[in-house]
Amino acid sequence: TLWCVSLPSVLSAGKLCGVSLCPLCCLQVNFVVCQLCALLSAFWFRLFLHPSKTSPFIRHVVATVLGLYFALFCFGWYALHFLFQSGLTYGIMILTGVEHMHKYCLLVALSYLSLCQITRVYVFDYGMYSADFTGPMMVITQKITSLAFEIHDGKSGVTCSLIQFVVV
């Protein structure tokens, strides 16, 4: 049979791995199932948690919990790297001053991303390609460092005109 996934095997494993799916591999099926669940939850989110009926705090909590669940479903416990990197860099943003925050966040986020990538390539999956958590982690690194640079640019008090860069 083409689709031989039983609900108990999905619920017990948390992933669709381990069952025989004919041309799709387990990571592709996990991704498609996660995308379909995200689309369904978006409709549910819009209908039942409409901004006119629900506070922003509740909407943020529900979106965060759903996002964490989807990350755990797709990447397993490697999704904790997302939380660790985000928490570490947000802590740097809070604890350091505005004048150096962007440099420290960039350094820490890129170092942690590089450490995870090197560990994944040379320790766990040497010579084999696997869809892994470092792709989304690159996007998170970009978003975190751009946030740090935007905060720095907005609060540093340095006013600079773009005209001086345009005039030749």
Side-chain angles (χ1 to χ4, degrees):
T1 61
L2 182 62
W3 299 103
C4 51
V5 177
S6 66
L7 189 59
S9 67
V10 172
L11 294 177
S12 65
K15 291 191 173 198
L16 296 176
C17 297
V19 295
S20 69
L21 293 174
C22 299
L24 298 175
C25 75
C26 126
L27 295 174
Q28 292 169 332
V29 172
N30 281 350
F31 180 76
V32 170
V33 167
C34 188
Q35 289 296 312
L36 292 175
C37 289
L39 283 174
L40 291 175
S41 65
F43 285 118
W44 174 82
F45 194 85
R46 187 69 178 165
L47 289 175
F48 297 111
L49 295 175
H50 195 271
S52 64
K53 298 184 227 177
T54 312
S55 71
F57 177 76
I58 298 297
R59 290 173 55 89
H60 287 308
V61 167
V62 170
T64 302
V65 169
L66 276 174
L68 289 175
Y69 176 73
F70 288 152
L72 281 171
F73 181 78
C74 285
F75 302 106
W77 293 108
Y78 290 116
L80 293 178
H81 288 288
F82 305 154
L83 290 176
F84 181 75
Q85 182 189 29
S86 299
L88 187 64
T89 52
Y90 284 140
I92 289 172
M93 286 184 212
I94 291 170
L95 296 176
T96 60
V98 176
E99 60 275 352
H100 298 294
M101 165 192 0
H102 60 295
K103 297 176 206 170
Y104 296 150
C105 283
L106 178 67
L107 180 70
V108 169
L110 281 178
S111 299
Y112 190 72
L113 174 66
S114 300
L115 177 72
C116 289
Q117 180 70 15
I118 289 169
T119 303
R120 185 197 62 83
V121 168
Y122 292 113
V123 175
F124 296 118
D125 294 331
Y126 183 74
M128 296 173 21
Y129 173 77
S130 65
D132 61 326
F133 65 98
T134 55
M137 202 164 169
M138 290 177 202
V139 175
I140 293 171
T141 300
Q142 182 182 10
K143 287 184 175 195
I144 288 172
T145 54
S146 68
L147 175 66
F149 273 87
E150 289 167 0
I151 292 172
H152 171 264
D153 291 344
K155 294 194 175 189
S156 65
V158 176
T159 57
C160 182
S161 174
L162 292 178
I163 299 291
Q164 67 186 2
F165 297 111
V166 175
V167 177
V168 181

